[in-house]
Amino acid sequence: MSGNEIRERFLKYMEERNHAVIPSAALVPENDPTTLFTGSGMQPLVPYLMGESHPKGTRLADSQKCFRAEDIEEVGDNRHTTFFEMLGNWSLGDYFKEEQISWFYSFLVDEIGLNPENLYVTVFAGDEENNVPQDDEAVAIWQKLFQEKGVSDGVARMGSEEDGAKRGMREGERIFYYDASKNWWSRAGKPENMPAGEPGGPDSEVFYDFGTEHDPAFGEHCHPNCDCGRFLEIGNNVFMEYVKQEDGTFGKLPAQNVDFGGGLERITAAALGESDVFKVDLLSNVIEQIATLSGKSYEDNLVPFRVICDHIRGAVFMIGDGVMPSNTEQGYFVRRLLRRSVRYADTLGIGEGKLADLAESVVETYQGHYTNLGEQKDQIIETIRTEEAQFRKTLEKGLKHFEKLAHGDITGYEAYILFTTYGFPVELTEELAVQRGHVVDMEGFKEEMKKHQEASRAGAAEKFAGGLADHSEKVVQYHTATHLLLAGLRKELGDDVHQAGSNITGERLRFDFTHPEKVSAEVLEKVEEYVNTAIKAGASVSTQTMTKTDAESDPTVEGSFWDKYPDEVKVYTVKDEAGNVYSRELCGGPHVENTGIIDGTFKIVKESSSSAGVRRIKAILE
Ligand code: SER
């Protein structure tokens, strides 16, 4: 069974259960300033889990493209990848535990034919401190399902991962209670790590048992949450009904929601009975090609094969979503993926310029579902080709620079310059130094990097670390101010002005828009005035759901990126009591209810060029 097939079967299965299938959001989240990438299926749906109504209703399903930058260094084992697809289905206050658990179980067992003997599940053991009970309801549902198939249904209490490793599993046990460190899901992890306003809830995870031997390096005994490779988590049913409150306690969300996410490659691996996700067709096509290009075998070179394969796929999807290699923000990761690929390709003796061939096979594998990849194939391949060639030139220059330094040990600062100016991964510097009998001051290097990160603006370091979207009040205020800004710009500069990009934090907004030339100081002042008038007016912000066709043909509705929206869209209107409309724009929210909530005076602090035909404004609320 192929990954492409399982994706389509899942979506159809959910459609048959009255779910609207929605397109994957882009890898780069919109209006979500504090995270660089979409890292889970639920991320684009957070506003709806928090209570906003979704234009497609209360049952949704999709296969969401995800990228986890923090896993770059983890790639190399049989399961970690930076890019992956997460199959998802959501109940926005519609069905709850009974349907969710039964459907997913039946999908695995009846649809794709997994043997229920190989399935093990975990449930939430309760959290007294936060007043969340243990999930006996989920246990009862699981027991009924396992009994129906005539497999054992024993229940055991584990606690933490360490407790699980100490206790191990006994004959007949299939359902395991773990504590909040394992069976609680929020984007910030366990309850105590969640900031105020963050939604979360107990979850019930499904593991596939590949029956491989336990590796004691991972703990005394094996258990579902053991990382030795025997068990693979293939799905997570999150019962999302809680929200952290300002006082640190938990409250209930407006509705009981279900957030289900399951890794497509992992589910396919289980269907194949193959514990190595790189053997799934979605990845194995590239693995085979690496073998052909290098003349080496996968089994003898697991790490370089897996890294190249993962990184090229990630880069292809990223470029397909408009992220070009660069030195900042998302682009930096595309660059890193490609540079690491070049380095690993060199260790395998793959000749120059071959990454583009690998990229082509990624496009071929995925273009049936992700049609944008097929349409942009030439551009994607060209970008990768150019980046590889450029990196090779930089490497050459770096090598010359390195030779000048290599008369002795390399200081942290030198390694840092080699990295930042010449793109030398520090491992490369180390490798070359060792060849010449010298060492690199790695601690010093790390310190320099830290200094650099602290200095780098826009909170990028936090974003790399986190992945936590922030719907704090201030961000929402900035978001509404951004709508007013666009409306003001269009009023002053004309209807050719549209949004080209937006990035908002709790401290400032950054807004890119289409306009061919510099905007004069006088115009900027007028735009500021426009926004501040709207803020002072205490105008209300209302939403309206309409069909995309209607919205698109309504000249009073401003919008861009229309293709990214589903057939039904939401339009936000800012209007005061006297009937003055300040802004009317297509958007997914969230926004303040009234502009009077916006705290501060709107001030444009910078106007500059962003790229050809696109200007950039930075503004603050003072
Ligand atoms: N949010 C959950 C996860 O990412 C399920 O979709 O695992």
Side-chain angles (χ1 to χ4, degrees):
M1 214 174 274
S2 77
N4 281 321
E5 189 183 338
I6 288 190
R7 185 198 304 109
E8 302 322 312
R9 283 174 77 154
F10 177 80
L11 296 177
K12 186 164 156 273
Y13 181 87
M14 284 301 155
E15 214 167 16
E16 285 161 6
R17 282 153 189 80
N18 298 322
H19 287 66
V21 174
I22 56 172
S24 172
L27 282 170
V28 177
E30 256 182 82
N31 297 324
D32 192 346
T34 49
T35 177
L36 287 172
F37 301 108
T38 303
S40 66
M42 59 85 85
Q43 203 167 301
L45 291 161
V46 169
Y48 310 105
L49 293 166
M50 300 294 288
E52 296 225 7
S53 71
H54 192 284
K56 284 297 204 179
T58 53
R59 293 183 180 200
L60 310 172
D62 69 359
S63 183
Q64 173 63 47
K65 297 179 270 191
C66 299
F67 186 81
R68 292 195 177 161
E70 62 274 25
D71 282 348
I72 283 194
E73 311 275 345
E74 305 277 339
V75 178
D77 65 11
N78 67 352
R79 60 185 69 197
H80 277 98
T81 58
T82 53
F83 171 89
F84 60 95
E85 278 176 86
M86 201 178 254
L87 299 177
N89 63 270
W90 283 269
S91 158
L92 303 172
D94 192 313
Y95 57 86
F96 206 43
K97 296 185 188 180
E98 174 83 40
E99 292 88 338
Q100 176 53 33
I101 293 178
S102 313
W103 285 342
F104 182 51
Y105 179 75
S106 164
F107 175 73
L108 294 176
V109 174
D110 304 322
E111 274 291 309
I112 63 172
L114 297 191
N115 182 349
E117 291 283 2
N118 295 336
L119 297 180
Y120 289 80
V121 302
T122 63
V123 291
F124 186 56
D127 178 353
E128 254 174 54
E129 205 171 308
N130 289 306
N131 242 333
V132 183
Q134 75 174 25
D135 198 350
D136 298 332
E137 200 185 332
V139 170
I141 300 167
W142 281 119
Q143 285 195 301
K144 190 181 86 198
L145 293 168
F146 286 125
Q147 281 161 16
E148 276 166 16
K149 299 281 176 192
V151 295
S152 67
D153 66 346
V155 182
R157 179 167 283 277
M158 298 305 223
S160 67
E161 190 174 337
E162 293 73 37
D163 298 332
K166 255 187 236 144
R167 183 188 180 277
M169 305 160 69
R170 320 247 155 92
E171 186 74 27
E173 290 176 350
R174 195 170 295 281
I175 302 166
F176 299 88
Y177 283 107
Y178 284 89
D179 65 22
S181 66
K182 286 284 148 195
N183 279 78
W184 176 274
W185 207 90
S186 81
R187 290 172 299 170
K190 47 189 182 178
E192 54 268 39
N193 292 348
M194 291 165 66
E198 183 65 17
D203 68 35
S204 178
E205 303 181 8
V206 180
F207 291 79
Y208 189 81
D209 178 7
F210 288 99
T212 49
E213 210 174 304
H214 175 60
D215 178 351
F218 292 86
E220 193 179 346
H221 300 288
C222 203
H223 60 116
N225 272 307
C226 173
D227 281 329
C228 78
R230 172 177 164 191
F231 291 100
L232 184 67
E233 185 207 322
I234 57 172
N236 186 4
N237 306 287
V238 185
F239 307 115
M240 183 84 58
E241 57 170 324
Y242 294 95
V243 59
K244 183 85 164 257
Q245 291 169 329
E246 292 290 343
D247 65 3
T249 64
F250 278 88
K252 289 279 179 103
L253 286 170
Q256 288 183 317
N257 307 298
V258 172
D259 154 21
F260 166 77
L264 173 61
E265 292 90 343
R266 290 177 171 213
I267 294 176
T268 312
L272 296 171
E274 181 51 79
S275 64
D276 179 356
V277 299
F278 290 88
K279 296 224 168 132
V280 168
D281 63 319
L282 298 173
L283 289 156
S284 67
N285 290 348
V286 175
I287 294 284
E288 277 159 29
Q289 217 183 340
I290 298 173
T292 312
L293 291 173
S294 66
K296 298 204 163 75
S297 85
Y298 172 55
E299 267 66 31
D300 294 336
N301 299 278
L302 292 173
V303 172
F305 269 68
R306 286 169 177 167
V307 170
I308 299 170
C309 174
D310 168 78
H311 286 13
I312 289 295
R313 181 175 68 161
V316 165
F317 271 93
M318 208 86 94
I319 299 166
D321 275 352
V323 187
M324 293 295 144
S326 75
N327 282 334
T328 56
E329 310 237 312
Q330 287 93 351
Y332 168 72
F333 284 93
V334 183
R335 176 152 285 169
R336 220 170 134 202
L337 290 173
L338 291 172
R339 289 184 166 187
R340 279 171 58 95
S341 302
V342 170
R343 289 287 305 138
Y344 277 98
D346 283 355
T347 67
L348 291 177
I350 296 175
E352 191 172 337
K354 295 291 190 293
L355 297 185
D357 296 354
L358 299 175
E360 192 163 349
S361 100
V362 174
V363 172
E364 271 155 25
T365 305
Y366 282 99
Q367 63 188 359
H369 186 79
Y370 295 104
T371 47
N372 72 309
L373 294 183
E375 286 152 18
Q376 299 171 78
K377 181 169 151 185
D378 293 344
Q379 194 211 347
I380 293 170
I381 288 173
E382 203 35 50
T383 304
I384 292 179
R385 206 185 290 288
T386 312
E387 182 67 13
E388 179 179 350
Q390 248 175 28
F391 181 47
R392 289 191 180 284
K393 265 194 219 140
T394 315
L395 275 179
E396 234 170 82
K397 276 194 222 147
L399 213 51
K400 282 197 193 123
H401 183 75
F402 175 83
E403 295 302 346
K404 281 191 217 145
L405 305 172
H407 305 298
D409 291 348
I410 308 285
T411 67
Y413 184 70
E414 286 164 352
Y416 166 75
I417 292 296
L418 278 165
F419 175 69
T420 46
T421 311
Y422 299 102
F424 259 44
V426 72
E427 309 86 60
L428 174 63
T429 305
E430 210 180 12
E431 197 180 300
L432 295 171
V434 169
Q435 279 169 13
R436 288 160 181 77
H438 302 306
V439 295
V440 179
D441 175 7
M442 292 298 277
E443 281 309 308
F445 170 76
K446 277 183 209 146
E447 248 160 60
E448 291 294 340
M449 287 298 286
K450 215 168 126 205
K451 259 196 255 165
H452 167 75
Q453 265 168 6
E454 274 160 16
S456 78
R457 296 185 55 239
E462 283 149 47
K463 288 193 277 179
F464 295 162
L468 179 66
D470 174 356
H471 285 101
S472 75
E473 221 178 295
K474 201 69 200 174
V475 170
V476 178
Q477 292 179 20
Y478 269 112
H479 188 194
T480 306
T482 305
H483 276 219
L484 297 171
L485 167 64
L486 174 57
L489 287 167
R490 286 171 57 81
K491 179 162 174 266
E492 297 301 328
L493 298 172
D495 288 345
D496 288 337
V497 171
H498 298 288
Q499 171 169 344
S502 163
N503 178 299
I504 304 170
T505 73
E507 282 80 47
R508 56 114 184 102
L509 66 84
R510 197 183 76 198
F511 186 69
D512 291 352
F513 56 100
T514 52
H515 188 63
E517 63 206 17
K518 189 161 179 58
V519 184
S520 71
E522 296 84 75
V523 169
L524 292 179
E525 223 169 274
K526 281 193 192 146
V527 173
E528 276 177 353
E529 209 178 287
Y530 181 86
V531 176
N532 285 319
T533 308
I535 293 175
K536 278 201 210 103
S540 64
V541 183
S542 59
T543 55
Q544 190 188 349
T545 303
M546 52 207 286
T547 67
K548 182 152 86 173
T549 331
D550 282 352
E552 220 172 343
S553 57
D554 180 340
T556 69
V557 175
E558 165 57 3
S560 45
F561 312 120
W562 287 91
D563 324 341
K564 285 197 198 163
Y565 286 88
D567 309 340
E568 271 177 48
V569 296
K570 280 212 264 188
V571 172
Y572 280 78
T573 304
V574 183
K575 189 173 167 184
D576 68 15
E577 272 176 12
N580 298 311
V581 175
Y582 295 95
S583 154
R584 201 161 139 72
E585 192 182 331
L586 174 73
C587 186
H591 284 281
V592 297
E593 280 165 27
N594 187 293
T595 58
I597 298 170
I598 300 176
D599 191 17
T601 306
F602 180 80
K603 193 164 170 29
I604 296 175
V605 289
K606 194 171 174 198
E607 193 273 346
S608 58
S609 159
S610 167
S611 59
V614 176
R615 306 294 302 176
R616 169 169 290 185
I617 279 181
K618 281 193 188 170
I620 53 169
L621 288 166
E622 240 181 359

